[in-house]
Amino acid sequence: MTHTAFSSLPLLPALQDNLHGLGFARMTPIQARSLPLILEGRDLIAQAKTGSGKTAAFGLGVLQNLDVGRLAPQALVICPTRELADQVAQELRRLARLVPNVKVLTLCGGVAARPQAESLGRGVHVVVGTPGRIQDHLARGSLDLSALNTLVLDEADRMVDMGFHDDIVAIVSHCPTRRQTLLFSATYPDNIRKLSARFLRNPAEVKVEAQHDASRIEQIFYEIDERERLDAVVRLLAHFRPVSTLAFCNTKIRSHELVERLQSEGIRAQALNGDLEQRERDEILIQFANQSCAVLVATDVAARGLDIQDLGAVINVDITKDTEVHVHRIGRSGRGEQKGLALSLCSPDEMRWADLIERYQGAPLKWAGLRSLRPKSGRALQAPMTTLCIQGGKKDKLRPGDLLGALTGDAGLAFEQVGKIHITEFSAYVALDRQIAQQAFARISNCTIKGRRFRMRFLEEF
């Protein structure tokens, strides 16, 4: 037994058994350094990036502390975005699989508040949500935090950047003074120091360096003239042909310009920005996750909280002035055991920021010339799938098996022609092989699902 083995921790037998069943044997660095302190009941400031295993670190601490027999919110996890809140809630449910009757509820905007209030009325143990919606329920009186023993601020730096400082202060004023507070942040600027000094009591501090294994992420920098920046992105995509690419721009204007340029080349690209309604944002992310969108173009603000799996490449269309932001950007590639690819475009004016990245990483940057890039195929980079939206969801008791059965039965599709299925409260989204989707639509739209017909549409125009 080593000090990095989960079995070395004084966790509940049900949690240990579940970790064993999930194949979790050894802790990640952030887990090994923070979990013993969390289990001791210490307040904690932990500096770690998305994808480091931080959710399991605070999640196991939250679950260890629960009195399941008491049906009241005992833990509150505040996240900057709905996407991150959903991911955290899913991970908590997975970690709690063998602990009977643990109830985890997400409180986020973009969906009706009344069903959330009804769920709170029936009783929950753990609440995961975004600041605005949590505030709403506190104001309505539907959320009572008097039984709270654990407060988690996840990605605290992002929440403060997004203007949630006052919301967090207001929420904490509803929490009991005697509680454990855990603050997780990718960076630790002065505004987070002030926040932690206000909310935490004699906290332990843990920092895991935001570096990535160079052997897993291949980084290549390209010196460009400012006028050829958008053309350079097209050349990178034509040469490397990643199935899915996350492209970062420093401004919203640049992100829109790039999407227009890529779409003019026949490349399926979409922009993720703060102007979108929640439903539009959700649908764009679903399309990107199921390979219906080849390139997602985003600013750092719009991409906060995203944890995208199976990412082919990250392109830094603009170099960021913040070295830690650069590391977080490229760290979205090369997750798990996968190889990552990070491509950065750098104009003469941005060389000073590239030099900062080089010093921060402690290793020379790898440079290559745009003229060395050759298109791998004459065809435009197309997403292999397209997304079918079905006007029925969880409220209609639709399950993935129901959709798959209908599509491979009545609609006559092959199993291989159906991709990822994502079901929300009111809608279902199915990725279909782009080559057959349009021709098969008449059959698909006329098939019945659980004896009913639902309205259907593709999320893109053909």
Side-chain angles (χ1 to χ4, degrees):
M1 184 186 298
T2 70
H3 71 283
T4 60
F6 279 106
S7 56
S8 66
L9 298 172
L11 290 169
L12 295 168
L15 293 176
Q16 287 284 14
D17 291 345
N18 189 37
L19 288 169
H20 180 73
L22 292 170
F24 289 6
R26 298 173 68 84
M27 293 181 269
T28 65
I30 189 60
Q31 291 163 357
R33 297 186 61 184
S34 66
L35 256 169
L37 295 165
I38 293 171
L39 295 175
E40 286 175 11
R42 293 284 304 274
D43 280 11
L44 179 72
I45 298 166
Q47 191 174 340
K49 65 184 187 302
T50 298
S52 62
K54 62 184 172 66
T55 304
F58 66 72
L60 288 169
V62 162
L63 296 171
Q64 178 80 4
N65 254 346
L66 290 184
D67 176 0
V68 180
R70 187 180 189 188
L71 209 49
Q74 297 167 49
L76 174 65
V77 184
I78 309 177
C79 303
T81 67
R82 177 180 174 179
E83 292 80 29
L84 183 61
D86 286 338
Q87 291 162 17
V88 168
Q90 288 170 15
E91 180 70 0
L92 286 171
R93 292 185 186 107
R94 190 167 71 123
L95 292 171
R97 257 187 343 180
L98 298 186
V99 182
N101 302 318
V102 172
K103 298 187 184 302
V104 180
L105 178 67
T106 52
L107 297 181
C108 301
V111 297
R114 182 178 292 179
Q116 295 174 345
E118 290 170 353
S119 295
L120 287 167
R122 289 191 291 271
V124 300
H125 297 106
V126 182
V127 172
V128 184
T130 49
R133 184 51 63 92
I134 292 169
Q135 275 255 73
D136 286 347
H137 283 287
L138 288 170
R140 292 165 183 260
S142 48
L143 177 60
D144 177 8
L145 298 178
S146 59
L148 195 80
N149 55 41
T150 309
L151 172 66
V152 181
L153 304 176
D154 194 12
E155 297 204 2
D157 53 344
R158 298 309 185 199
M159 287 196 284
V160 171
D161 286 348
M162 294 167 78
F164 288 134
H165 178 276
D166 292 344
D167 292 311
I168 293 169
V169 172
I171 292 167
V172 174
S173 71
H174 289 266
C175 299
T177 305
R178 292 183 61 82
R179 64 173 190 271
Q180 181 180 32
T181 305
L182 310 173
L183 186 150
F184 284 77
S185 186
T187 58
Y188 195 41
D190 287 342
N191 53 11
I192 297 303
R193 290 184 187 277
K194 292 174 184 174
L195 193 72
S196 61
R198 186 168 184 174
F199 297 146
L200 283 75
R201 297 170 303 164
N202 189 28
E205 293 191 25
V206 168
K207 179 177 180 180
V208 174
E209 289 297 329
Q211 299 289 347
H212 301 287
D213 184 347
S215 65
R216 279 198 300 112
I217 300 178
E218 181 183 11
Q219 278 203 80
I220 310 173
F221 283 71
Y222 296 86
E223 185 174 357
I224 58 161
D225 183 279
E226 179 60 40
R227 294 167 296 180
E228 63 180 343
R229 195 180 295 271
L230 302 186
D231 288 338
V233 177
V234 175
R235 294 188 68 158
L236 291 173
L237 293 170
H239 177 83
F240 290 100
R241 300 192 68 80
V243 173
S244 58
T245 301
L246 183 55
F248 282 102
C249 299
N250 286 352
T251 66
K252 193 189 305 181
I253 292 173
R254 175 93 76 202
S255 71
H256 287 301
E257 290 173 345
L258 178 58
V259 168
E260 288 180 9
R261 179 74 175 86
L262 295 178
Q263 289 178 345
S264 73
E265 295 288 332
I267 297 170
R268 179 71 180 152
Q270 297 202 62
L272 191 69
N273 61 58
D275 295 338
L276 298 169
E277 293 182 6
Q278 188 64 50
R279 181 187 57 78
E280 295 174 309
R281 180 182 171 89
D282 289 345
E283 289 187 347
I284 287 173
L285 291 173
I286 287 167
Q287 290 176 82
F288 188 62
N290 70 20
Q291 298 187 349
S292 296
C293 167
V295 184
L296 183 64
V297 183
T299 60
D300 293 299
V301 171
R304 284 168 183 166
L306 295 189
D307 187 11
I308 300 166
Q309 303 299 317
D310 304 322
L311 192 59
V314 169
I315 297 180
N316 292 307
V317 182
D318 303 290
I319 299 292
T320 173
K321 299 176 183 179
D322 188 324
T323 52
E324 289 195 355
V325 168
H326 174 83
V327 172
H328 300 149
R329 282 180 176 185
I330 70 171
R332 289 180 165 91
S333 181
R335 290 285 172 87
E337 300 303 315
Q338 294 181 332
K339 287 282 187 180
L341 178 64
L343 310 168
S344 300
L345 301 176
C346 185
S347 69
D349 288 344
E350 295 170 312
M351 280 299 172
R352 51 185 166 165
W353 312 125
D355 291 342
L356 285 176
I357 292 168
E358 184 172 80
R359 289 203 293 273
Y360 183 79
Q361 296 183 163
L365 301 180
K366 177 181 177 182
W367 292 85
L370 282 177
R371 308 297 175 261
S372 66
L373 300 177
R374 295 288 180 269
K376 291 286 197 306
S377 164
R379 294 180 297 108
L381 185 67
Q382 269 286 7
M385 312 297 280
T386 188
T387 300
L388 179 72
C389 176
I390 299 168
Q391 300 300 311
K394 292 177 182 176
K395 70 173 180 61
D396 302 292
K397 297 185 168 51
L398 290 187
R399 297 174 301 178
D402 301 323
L403 303 177
L404 185 60
L407 292 169
T408 56
D410 292 351
L413 301 185
F415 178 80
E416 296 77 18
Q417 293 170 330
V418 182
K420 290 184 178 180
I421 297 174
H422 185 96
I423 302 180
T424 66
E425 197 68 22
F426 301 104
S427 302
Y429 301 90
V430 185
L432 300 177
D433 186 324
R434 180 177 294 274
Q435 294 183 329
I436 58 88
Q438 191 174 10
Q439 300 88 321
F441 183 70
R443 282 181 287 132
I444 294 169
S445 57
N446 283 318
C447 73
T448 60
I449 305 170
K450 299 186 80 168
R452 295 176 56 191
R453 281 196 177 164
F454 293 89
R455 294 179 64 184
M456 304 179 189
R457 63 182 174 89
F458 287 114
L459 292 185
E460 64 177 285
E461 295 181 6
F462 283 90

